[in-house]
Amino acid sequence: MRVLVVGAGAVGGFFGARLIESGSDVTFLVRNGRGHQLTADGLRIANLDGTVAAVRAKIVSADELHSTFDLILLAVKGTAVDAAAADVAPAVGEETVILPLLNGIRHLDVLEHRFGPGRVLGGVGLVATELEPDGLIRQLGPAATVTFGELDGTITPRVSAIQATVAPAAFESRVSDTIVQEMWEKWFFMAAGGTATVLLGGPAGTILSVDGGPALIGQVIEEVTAVVAAEGHPVRQAARAQVAGALTTPGSSFATSLYRDFAAGRKTEVEPILGDLLQRALTRGVQTPLLGAATVRLRVHNAATG
């Protein structure tokens, strides 16, 4: 299976490198700056034990993309999905399958409109990584999983074929018959965690250690839970327990990529993670003052970042 990974950043670079290590035929679609880094230094991953692994990656730019691929792994920021869909169009053939690992839900509409609903799978990628200025991808936590499936929940030969391709890689992979629900629950996790850590200015453990912190985290969780339920995807008990464990356990170091980008002065994915959810809350008449405050805070941050 020929795999095109769109984006060699913290997520796409990590999963793509692991696929290369396991013997998969992987090419990265990258911008020129990232392409120069990969050509000079290889694709480098700093592991949790402090070692750095480097793999040589095949790269292609958008204007060099002339052949089709079997699987397109889309791993860009949610704000870049429209541009990425345009760039990747020449690589989409009759049998191509697109597997997005993005935050939020909006990207499914974008991709289905561009390529047709039969080409797009649902996907959830979970990994704590950060792309450093020199191109090094640093792994920040032990978990690394990819879950995917057909949007209608059927287990088809193509998802089985993808699973056979990715199974040897050094991350957990799983085919799901409830992938859309799992995407909503990841969104719940990211939105609750992002709202709490951005609005309150620190990782979960720090917030919990101050007077009033636990109560506000609880209010954030309730707000986001209400929006997701109003949209027809009530959070299942296991997903709610996961969020509660990350956000309400004393001493927790949990913080989302949204907070890490915010704290580092980088532009954030405020719209696909918080802004879209806030708009849905307004449409449904769900009161979300804390979600709204965090969204505006990040919009101001993005505007100031330039």
Side-chain angles (χ1 to χ4, degrees):
M1 183 172 285
R2 297 185 68 227
V3 181
L4 180 68
V5 178
V6 185
V11 175
F14 177 87
F15 287 122
R18 296 305 189 225
L19 287 171
I20 292 172
E21 290 170 346
S22 69
S24 288
D25 181 1
V26 176
T27 301
F28 289 88
L29 175 61
V30 294
R31 303 293 184 189
N32 287 338
R34 184 61 168 143
H36 293 324
Q37 287 180 331
L38 296 180
T39 299
D41 303 323
L43 180 55
R44 297 176 298 132
I45 309 291
N47 301 308
L48 289 175
D49 63 5
T51 61
V52 175
V55 298
R56 284 295 164 185
K58 294 187 290 185
I59 61 172
V60 64
S61 62
D63 58 0
E64 297 170 333
L65 193 58
H66 304 301
S67 63
T68 60
F69 287 77
D70 303 304
L71 173 64
I72 296 176
L73 191 67
L74 192 64
V76 297
K77 294 286 190 181
T79 51
V81 66
D82 297 87
D87 287 345
V88 81
V92 179
E94 288 297 321
E95 302 298 325
T96 301
V97 182
I98 302 169
L99 172 54
L101 300 178
L102 281 72
N103 291 315
I105 292 290
R106 172 187 171 271
H107 60 274
L108 290 182
D109 291 336
V110 173
L111 296 172
E112 288 186 319
H113 178 75
R114 179 70 187 248
F115 300 111
R119 296 280 173 79
V120 183
L121 301 179
V124 172
L126 295 175
V127 65
T129 49
E130 193 166 43
L131 180 65
E132 299 189 349
D134 66 353
L136 177 73
I137 298 171
R138 184 171 300 281
Q139 188 173 3
L140 304 175
T145 66
V146 172
T147 306
F148 60 94
E150 300 285 357
L151 298 179
D152 65 3
T154 57
I155 305 299
T156 59
R158 66 181 184 178
V159 296
S160 298
I162 293 168
Q163 174 61 6
T165 296
V166 304
F171 56 81
E172 182 182 347
S173 58
R174 180 173 60 87
V175 176
S176 170
D177 59 2
T178 59
I179 191 60
V180 173
Q181 178 67 22
E182 293 189 45
M183 292 174 67
W184 275 92
E185 288 170 348
K186 181 192 175 184
W187 194 7
F188 164 69
F189 188 93
M190 295 293 292
T195 295
T197 55
V198 166
L199 188 61
L200 302 176
T206 303
I207 299 168
L208 294 168
S209 69
V210 303
D211 289 345
L216 275 176
I217 285 182
Q219 289 176 39
V220 168
I221 293 173
E222 291 306 317
E223 283 188 10
V224 178
T225 299
V227 182
V228 173
E231 284 289 293
H233 297 276
V235 179
R236 294 173 295 189
Q237 183 57 40
R240 188 179 174 93
Q242 183 183 30
V243 170
L247 288 178
T248 66
T249 300
S252 171
S253 62
F254 174 77
T256 66
S257 59
L258 196 65
Y259 173 75
R260 290 194 295 271
D261 286 342
F262 169 69
R266 299 186 292 262
K267 278 191 177 296
T268 71
E269 287 187 275
V270 57
E271 298 307 333
I273 299 177
L274 300 187
D276 187 11
L277 200 65
L278 177 62
Q279 183 56 52
R280 292 168 189 264
L282 294 171
T283 300
R284 298 286 184 183
V286 180
Q287 298 299 308
T288 55
L290 298 177
L291 172 63
T295 302
V296 174
R297 178 67 188 92
L298 288 181
R299 286 171 176 165
V300 171
H301 167 82
N302 279 8
T305 303

